[in-house]
Amino acid sequence: MSQKHTRYRAVIFDLDGVITDTARYHYLAWKRLADAIGAPFDEAFNEQLKGIDRMGSLELILAQAPRTFGAAEKLALADAKNGHYQELVATMTPADLLPGALAALEQVRAAGLPIGLASVSKNAFTVLDRLGIRDRFDDVVDAATVRNGKPDPEIFLTAAAHLGVAPADCLGVEDAVAGVASIKGAGMFAVGVGDPRVLREADRVIPSMREFDLYAY
């Protein structure tokens, strides 16, 4: 039986929309905040927040509000949103893993490659714990680790550095335009999960994690 080979030395995954889908929790939390301050907010507007960090998302929402907010108020609003989000995340279980996600992690591990996580979420560790997969990752880079969020490449470059692998030898997996831009900016091969018409900058696009195959790229 022939041994499969891959040209990559590490794989770095995004969290939301790739490993699990907390998008509905983010939407509900942002919707609650927007309603409280009188800012129009719906699912279409929520799409603009995909891949954007918390404060960046808040600024987009506040731009629609009927009044302006000071720095202290913004921090309080961000904390309030996160509190509601954490309440929702606390209900997560391993059943909330996206179909194909666990198999993808197992395939990469079976290939002997280190696995990284690059997530702009400040709740990444909590989510991983709730999903029961924290031990599957050799390194986790979250919003608290980096200064610049996606689409800046810093988060993926940091993950590669922590894993001790050159960026060019890494495969990155993302579901958001900003995330794909981050991967490409880091000089990595980008696998997009979703609509190829949206993720045009990705090197390869798969409809879901069910189709992930380390040896196909």
Side-chain angles (χ1 to χ4, degrees):
M1 185 175 177
S2 62
Q3 180 71 35
K4 286 186 176 182
H5 295 284
T6 175
R7 67 185 182 91
Y8 303 104
R9 294 184 54 220
V11 180
I12 303 169
F13 293 91
D14 175 40
L15 179 60
D16 292 341
V18 174
I19 302 299
T20 189
D21 185 9
T22 60
R24 67 187 183 279
Y25 300 146
H26 283 294
Y27 171 73
L28 291 171
W30 282 127
K31 175 67 173 169
R32 179 168 166 174
L33 180 143
D35 288 348
I37 63 174
F41 190 79
D42 56 19
E43 292 188 13
F45 188 91
N46 187 59
E47 283 296 307
Q48 299 179 44
L49 310 184
K50 202 171 185 181
I52 307 299
D53 64 19
R54 190 187 309 159
M55 294 308 294
S57 296
L58 178 64
E59 291 290 355
L60 290 174
I61 293 171
L62 294 185
Q64 310 297 315
R67 71 174 182 88
T68 57
F69 293 81
E73 288 180 301
K74 290 179 180 180
L75 289 175
L77 288 172
D79 286 344
K81 181 268 177 181
N82 190 48
H84 186 44
Y85 173 75
Q86 287 179 328
E87 291 173 10
L88 296 169
V89 164
T91 69
M92 295 182 77
T93 72
D96 290 301
L97 281 162
L98 284 173
L102 187 58
L105 295 174
E106 291 175 342
Q107 184 189 50
V108 177
R109 180 62 72 217
L113 304 186
I115 302 173
L117 187 83
S119 172
V120 296
S121 173
K122 291 183 178 179
N123 298 288
F125 286 102
T126 301
V127 173
L128 292 178
D129 285 338
R130 296 299 307 172
L131 295 172
I133 58 168
R134 185 164 172 176
D135 62 343
R136 304 269 180 165
F137 294 88
D138 297 290
D139 185 69
V140 174
V141 181
D142 64 1
T145 314
V146 295
R147 295 185 63 181
N148 302 299
K150 304 168 186 178
D152 190 280
E154 182 186 0
I155 194 165
F156 280 95
L157 290 172
T158 301
H162 287 181
L163 294 173
V165 178
D169 294 326
C170 294
L171 173 71
V173 187
E174 266 280 2
D175 73 313
V177 172
V180 169
S182 180
I183 294 173
K184 296 303 295 177
M188 302 177 183
F189 188 94
V191 173
V193 183
D195 189 339
R197 294 169 296 180
V198 176
L199 304 174
R200 294 187 299 273
E201 301 303 314
D203 296 296
R204 185 74 62 86
V205 179
I206 55 178
S208 75
M209 287 300 288
R210 290 189 190 92
E211 289 76 32
F212 180 85
D213 183 359
L214 176 64
Y215 303 103
Y217 317 121

